[in-house]
Amino acid sequence: MMRVSRDSSRGEHPKWATPGQHTSPADLVDVPNQVCQAGHMTATALRVRARLGLRRDLPAPAQRRAIREASGLSQGELAQAIGVTRQAVSHWEAGTRTPQGVLLERYVTAMRTLREEA
């Protein structure tokens, strides 16, 4: 996370805080998706990386159906376990839609579990 200095009283645009520059904590704002001085990612960057990791772990549509069928589950049974409708699972397996947010997490977890159990 990089720190930038901003003079909020005059509404100026942020300026990079240079090493040794004295600014009060109230004058500093965080720039998202940057690395801080200690080398840690911001919370936003970590969430983005986690979401990208989930997307990478999501099998291709044809593989999704094959994984589910190999486990012996119907679309309705998988849907009930995830908390969605059978039609949602059907769309995901056809590739016409992609799960989002918490449903992406649940679906990827279900796919991993089914793959491990097969």
Side-chain angles (χ1 to χ4, degrees):
M1 165 175 20
M2 300 294 286
R3 295 284 190 158
V4 294
S5 175
R6 173 182 14 212
D7 185 343
S8 58
S9 64
R10 291 187 300 214
E12 291 181 358
H13 292 288
K15 296 176 274 192
W16 296 106
T18 57
Q21 180 180 0
H22 298 287
T23 56
S24 72
D27 290 336
L28 295 177
V29 294
D30 297 327
V31 177
N33 296 330
Q34 299 290 331
V35 179
C36 72
Q37 293 170 357
H40 300 287
M41 299 297 291
T42 64
T44 301
L46 292 173
R47 284 192 302 273
V48 169
R49 285 182 183 264
R51 184 73 57 208
L52 289 174
L54 282 173
R55 291 228 183 263
R56 278 188 233 118
D57 289 347
L58 185 63
Q63 293 173 328
R64 297 170 198 171
R65 172 166 275 160
I67 292 168
R68 178 187 52 78
E69 288 176 345
S71 71
L73 287 179
S74 69
Q75 287 180 338
E77 291 169 325
L78 179 57
Q80 186 177 14
I82 297 171
V84 297
T85 64
R86 183 202 58 78
Q87 291 85 352
V89 173
S90 177
H91 286 293
W92 297 342
E93 288 181 354
T96 57
R97 294 202 179 128
T98 304
Q100 303 291 318
V102 70
L103 297 179
L104 174 63
E105 294 173 28
R106 291 179 190 168
Y107 191 58
V108 168
T109 300
M111 290 287 105
R112 286 178 186 152
T113 302
L114 294 176
R115 191 180 296 161
E116 290 170 2
E117 297 295 321

